[in-house]
Amino acid sequence: MMDDILKQIKAGEVSGMQFKERILDKYDIACELVAFSNSHGGKLVVGIKDKTGETNALSYSEVQETTNLLSDIASENVVPSILIKIDTVEVEDGNLVIATVKEGVNKPYHDNKGIVWVKNGADKRKVFDNAELAEMMTDCGSFAPDEAGVRDATVNDLDATTIKQFLGNRFERVLEKKGLIGDAFNEASLDMICSAIAKGHDCEKILRNLRFIRPDGTLTVAAMLLFGKYTQRWMPMMTAKCICFAGNSVGSKVFRDKVNDADMEGNLLHQYDTIMDFFTRNLHNVQVGNEFNSMGKLEIPYTSLVEFTVNSLVHRSLNMKAPVRIFIFDNRVEIHSPGALPNGLTIDDIKAGTSMPRNMFLFNNAIYLLPYTGVGSGITRALDEDINVTFMNNDKAQEFVITVWRGESNQVEDLDTRLRHSDTDLDTGLRHSNTDLDTGLRHSDTDLDTKRVTLTNKEKDIVNFCSVPRTTKEILDRIGVSMHSKNRERYITSLVAAGYLQMTNPDNPTASNQKYKKVTTK
């Protein structure tokens, strides 16, 4: 028994106190109870030295006094009051009193001076950070940061195209019955879509009914994250930092690529697209099959990257004023998501498929814009891809880190990588050399109708970008080239011919409202 208590003391799960020296200090005991309640619970043992484990057993009368005092402190000196379980254990020369404190359900708890405490290993510390207090309240369900208001933001600060896409996915069956599918949907205005969903409703009324607008008229954090035009204007740290380093150290002063803050600015859908583009242009492609023209795939399965990226954007702590950070090294990829695992989840829990979303309102709505099922099985699906991945839940730093290890073959840059990063504007990723790397001579002696050709990273980005129908201008703006017929032929028409893109209005190729969308394969 004593050996177990000593181990728990070292782990910070048990605090020890001596009766004769400290039992009369009600305030100190209250602080310990508060710290346990705000953390993951623990035990307070009276009759033992905290650091050494030396016993100073209590007599029968001292046990009675201690038991009554602990009960009084838990109800009178801890706000809100807590319930504790009190047991006694017989040891040589007397007894120990053990008060078991569960993790609280009404966080944050504080002492009668108004100070909030949490466990810090075997010790305790005061909490001064409002974000940490908000995280405690989120964890116990008394505060939902995704449903909080965004001060001074209005519906005019939201992107109509993204809202339209969201409504089209969420109310697909309703709109299909009204004949608003395909070209009819694309040509309809947002107000027409809203009116078709609910007669007499405009965009603002629809958003209010869907709880994206609060009763006081302010937009919710979820609305700004999902639909905002310039989300970072209102929430500067709700973004992502993407850097591809040369070498294996975050302290390296040399990087191969990074995403500018301005390029990342936007809602979650835009951030997702930008992050996936960052992955596809910086990770290697591995040839599948023995034929020269066989399709290549990313060294880290695209499906796994999708799941990890969506997880970092949707399940991040909204209370922590820190960005998602994505680093590519020579030997690994790291995805740092602000906030440790919520609700007492462990790494083994998430590997087993246990899902307890931190931002429930955001989670339930982002499914209509981002590619995930909404049943919390993303991590398990990613692990099904047979990848070498490790997880780290860092309570102290308040972040969750996913590390995907790259294969040994990726330690050495191949020709494509060296060409791609020589004389390169790393911020824009525009790659130019004497060889036309963008086309890669991919059309030589290839039957486009029977065999799909291998794409360059830039073309892959275009195809992924067109998961939502895009205009010619949107596509060419995406890759930073002018509206010239040669650019349309090289970057759009060729992809249509190769079977990767299709027109939304194939019967009239020159239609002014022509858009292009990704061809989905079954």
Side-chain angles (χ1 to χ4, degrees):
M1 177 68 182
M2 288 303 301
D3 288 340
D4 289 341
I5 290 177
L6 287 174
K7 289 179 182 178
Q8 291 174 316
I9 286 176
K10 291 180 180 179
E13 298 168 2
V14 164
S15 291
M17 289 187 173
Q18 288 183 278
F19 177 83
K20 291 181 175 62
E21 295 178 7
R22 299 174 66 186
I23 192 60
L24 298 179
D25 190 346
K26 292 185 178 181
Y27 181 71
D28 199 33
I29 294 175
C31 293
E32 290 287 345
L33 299 181
V34 165
F36 279 130
S37 298
N38 284 329
S39 302
H40 298 296
K43 296 178 181 179
L44 177 65
V45 180
V46 181
I48 189 170
K49 285 187 177 180
D50 200 357
K51 305 299 181 184
T52 66
E54 179 184 346
T55 60
N56 184 9
L58 281 65
S59 65
Y60 177 78
S61 62
E62 290 172 337
V63 168
Q64 293 296 106
E65 182 182 350
T66 301
T67 300
N68 293 333
L69 187 62
L70 286 172
S71 298
D72 290 343
I73 292 172
S75 60
E76 297 175 6
N77 296 74
V78 177
V79 183
S81 61
I82 62 173
L83 293 176
I84 58 175
K85 179 185 177 184
I86 301 176
D87 298 297
T88 59
V89 175
E90 288 188 14
V91 294
E92 188 177 354
D93 298 329
N95 294 273
L96 301 180
V97 175
I98 301 177
T100 302
V101 185
K102 292 185 178 181
E103 179 176 357
V105 296
N106 294 303
K107 300 177 184 176
Y109 293 83
H110 56 85
D111 59 40
N112 54 12
K113 294 182 181 179
I115 298 175
V116 175
W117 300 82
V118 294
K119 290 302 290 182
N120 187 27
D123 299 314
K124 60 183 179 296
R125 65 174 175 83
K126 296 179 182 179
V127 175
F128 297 103
D129 187 2
N130 288 333
E132 190 172 1
L133 294 176
E135 192 70 3
M136 290 181 193
M137 296 171 67
T138 301
D139 201 24
C140 69
S142 61
F143 174 58
D146 49 349
E147 298 184 60
V150 180
R151 185 176 179 180
D152 297 330
T154 70
V155 174
N156 293 330
D157 296 304
L158 304 181
D159 179 57
T161 301
T162 309
I163 296 174
K164 183 177 174 181
Q165 181 182 343
F166 169 84
L167 295 176
N169 292 331
R170 177 157 185 173
F171 298 100
E172 182 177 7
R173 292 185 179 180
V174 174
L175 295 172
E176 185 176 355
K177 291 180 180 179
K178 301 291 182 68
L180 287 173
I181 58 173
D183 290 344
F185 177 82
N186 294 332
E187 294 172 6
S189 67
L190 178 56
D191 284 340
M192 289 176 61
I193 298 296
C194 293
S195 181
I197 294 170
K199 187 176 180 180
H201 283 52
D202 58 11
C203 177
E204 184 169 344
K205 195 168 184 178
I206 287 283
L207 293 179
R208 189 181 293 273
N209 288 345
L210 294 175
R211 293 173 44 217
F212 288 112
I213 299 179
R214 291 159 52 93
D216 62 4
T218 58
L219 294 181
T220 63
V221 167
M224 186 57 69
L225 286 173
L226 292 174
F227 313 127
K229 294 178 185 176
Y230 309 106
T231 301
Q232 289 67 37
R233 174 186 173 188
W234 310 99
M235 297 176 287
M237 300 311 294
M238 296 300 140
T239 183
K241 306 286 186 180
C242 300
I243 302 176
C244 179
F245 290 96
N248 296 317
S249 173
V250 73
S252 174
K253 296 181 180 179
V254 179
F255 58 86
R256 297 188 176 96
D257 188 12
K258 75 170 184 177
V259 177
N260 282 342
D261 291 345
D263 293 333
M264 185 61 72
E265 183 173 290
N267 55 44
L268 292 188
L269 178 60
H270 174 76
Q271 291 180 41
Y272 166 81
D273 287 339
T274 306
I275 292 170
M276 295 310 298
D277 174 43
F278 172 74
F279 281 135
T280 56
R281 72 172 182 258
N282 286 292
L283 294 177
H284 296 238
N285 281 291
V286 179
Q287 187 171 337
V288 180
N290 297 322
E291 296 185 17
F292 178 78
N293 286 323
S294 62
M295 287 292 291
K297 68 174 185 178
L298 283 182
E299 58 182 290
I300 298 174
Y302 192 86
T303 301
S304 296
L305 292 173
V306 167
E307 297 295 350
F308 293 148
T309 299
V310 170
N311 183 81
S312 68
L313 294 174
V314 175
H315 295 298
R316 61 153 294 162
S317 167
L318 301 178
N319 299 311
M320 300 297 169
K321 306 305 179 185
V324 171
R325 295 180 297 154
I326 296 176
F327 301 141
I328 295 179
F329 300 95
D330 287 352
N331 67 346
R332 68 193 187 280
V333 172
E334 291 182 357
I335 301 174
H336 296 246
S337 183
L341 289 176
N343 304 312
L345 282 177
T346 66
I347 289 174
D348 287 338
D349 289 335
I350 63 171
K351 285 183 177 179
T354 303
S355 176
M356 296 181 69
R358 187 197 313 267
N359 309 307
M360 184 60 74
F361 183 66
L362 178 64
F363 174 78
N364 287 336
N365 285 283
I367 186 176
Y368 300 108
L369 287 174
L370 299 177
Y372 67 97
T373 63
V375 295
S377 58
I379 294 294
T380 54
R381 281 200 307 278
L383 295 177
D384 286 342
E385 296 289 339
D386 191 27
I387 56 177
N388 185 3
V389 59
T390 56
F391 303 100
M392 181 179 68
N393 185 38
N394 193 330
D395 280 311
K396 187 174 182 180
Q398 279 296 300
E399 70 172 1
F400 181 69
V401 183
I402 299 174
T403 301
V404 187
W405 298 94
R406 305 175 68 181
E408 291 182 1
S409 61
N410 295 312
Q411 300 282 337
V412 181
E413 280 190 333
D414 58 12
L415 175 62
D416 173 70
T417 303
R418 291 199 302 272
L419 287 172
R420 183 151 48 91
H421 293 298
S422 61
D423 299 325
T424 301
D425 179 350
L426 295 178
D427 290 334
T428 59
L430 296 177
R431 303 179 286 278
H432 300 291
S433 67
N434 292 330
T435 304
D436 185 358
L437 295 177
D438 292 325
T439 57
L441 300 178
R442 64 184 187 284
H443 297 304
S444 59
D445 300 322
T446 301
D447 184 352
L448 297 178
D449 293 327
T450 60
K451 183 178 291 186
R452 303 181 94 194
V453 296
T454 302
L455 300 182
T456 65
N457 287 325
K458 184 177 290 188
E459 290 166 332
K460 289 177 184 176
D461 179 47
I462 292 173
V463 173
N464 290 331
F465 183 60
C466 290
S467 296
V468 177
R470 309 286 188 180
T471 64
T472 298
K473 185 177 185 306
E474 287 175 327
I475 295 171
L476 298 184
D477 284 347
R478 169 81 172 183
I479 57 176
V481 299
S482 63
M483 282 282 288
H484 192 280
S485 59
K486 289 185 178 180
N487 289 331
R488 288 197 298 271
E489 170 63 30
R490 173 178 294 181
Y491 297 112
I492 300 177
T493 307
S494 63
L495 290 175
V496 173
Y500 287 96
L501 296 181
Q502 61 183 350
M503 300 179 188
T504 56
N505 187 4
D507 295 332
N508 186 8
T510 60
S512 60
N513 63 347
Q514 185 68 263
K515 292 185 178 181
Y516 300 87
K517 63 180 180 179
K518 179 180 180 180
V519 174
T520 56
T521 56
K522 298 183 179 179

